[in-house]
Amino acid sequence: MEPATRLALQYKPETVKILFIGEAPGRADKNFYLGNNNLYRTVFVAFKELYGGFSSREEFLAFFKAAGCFLDHLGLEHTERHDMEKRKSNRQNGIISLSEKLKRYQPETVIIVMKALEKQLQQAIDLSGIKTIKQQTTVSYPAGSNTNYLACVSGLVAILQTAVDLG
């Protein structure tokens, strides 16, 4: 199991209500649950916009978990951004594994964090046979341009307004 995956499991809520799906786990030294990558910073900003400030990464991740949120990935292993062949293979090879996780998680909301993942994600959802998903959306991955970053933040804010139930 990748070190980033082990770290992520520490923040997995007992009941996953909102499942964020990214492309692949980050590196052991740079990933969402360490709070030091683009996706973390973007999700943090969206939550901050809706729920106020957080004093630390730990406070934010505790809130993220308490809200029933979890980030998992289509791919099973970290891939470098420039290795498109490996990235595509990793996506395709992750469909069955993700479908099994979906059966365990039974999320109500799925947020796909990269438009290029939609086809494989839909295959995983269909293969899982789950019927719990009430909302599914895709947001731009927050890299490459300020436009992508802003689109991701606004897309996350829009769905989180209706998906997060703090009561």
Side-chain angles (χ1 to χ4, degrees), residues 15 75 121 128 151 167:
T15 301
L121 259 290
S128 75

Side-chain angles (χ1 to χ4, degrees), residues 11 22 29 78 84 90 101 136 139 141:
Y11 294 100
D29 64 338
H78 172 73
M84 284 308 295
N90 198 31
K101 291 183 213 177
Q136 179 179 331
V139 296
Y141 189 78

Side-chain angles (χ1 to χ4, degrees), residues 13-154:
E14 191 171 315
T15 301
V16 176
K17 295 178 185 173
I18 303 170
L19 182 61
F20 291 74
I21 301 288
E23 181 176 21
R27 299 187 323 234
D29 64 338
K30 188 172 184 179
N31 66 70
F32 180 86
Y33 288 101
L34 287 176
N36 63 0
N37 70 5
N38 283 341
L39 184 56
Y40 170 85
R41 288 185 288 275
T42 306
V43 172
F44 180 91
V45 167
F47 271 78
K48 182 178 174 184
E49 191 171 309
L50 286 170
Y51 308 109
F54 301 95
S55 62
S56 66
R57 173 185 68 91
E58 291 78 14
E59 182 184 359
F60 168 70
L61 290 174
F63 184 90
F64 189 75
K65 179 179 179 177
C69 298
F70 187 62
L71 169 69
D72 208 330
H73 300 89
L74 173 61
L76 301 173
E77 59 186 38
H78 172 73
T79 55
E80 291 299 327
R81 176 175 58 115
H82 62 276
D83 191 345
M84 284 308 295
E85 187 175 316
K86 186 173 180 184
R87 288 174 66 190
K88 287 179 181 180
S89 173
N90 198 31
R91 292 175 193 170
Q92 202 60 38
N93 293 337
I95 293 170
I96 293 172
S97 175
L98 182 58
S99 74
E100 294 300 319
K101 291 183 213 177
L102 287 166
K103 288 178 193 176
R104 289 194 305 275
Y105 299 158
Q106 298 282 319
E108 295 174 9
T109 300
V110 173
I111 301 172
I112 304 166
V113 187
M114 183 187 275
K115 293 186 185 300
L117 304 180
E118 287 177 316
K119 179 182 174 188
Q120 291 90 355
L121 259 290
Q122 194 57 56
Q123 290 172 343
I125 290 168
D126 293 346
L127 187 60
S128 75
I130 65 170
K131 304 291 183 210
T132 57
I133 299 172
K134 298 174 186 166
Q135 289 184 302
Q136 179 179 331
T137 193
T138 302
V139 296
S140 297
Y141 189 78
S145 72
N146 196 47
T147 301
N148 287 345
Y149 167 78
L150 294 173
C152 188
V153 170
S154 65

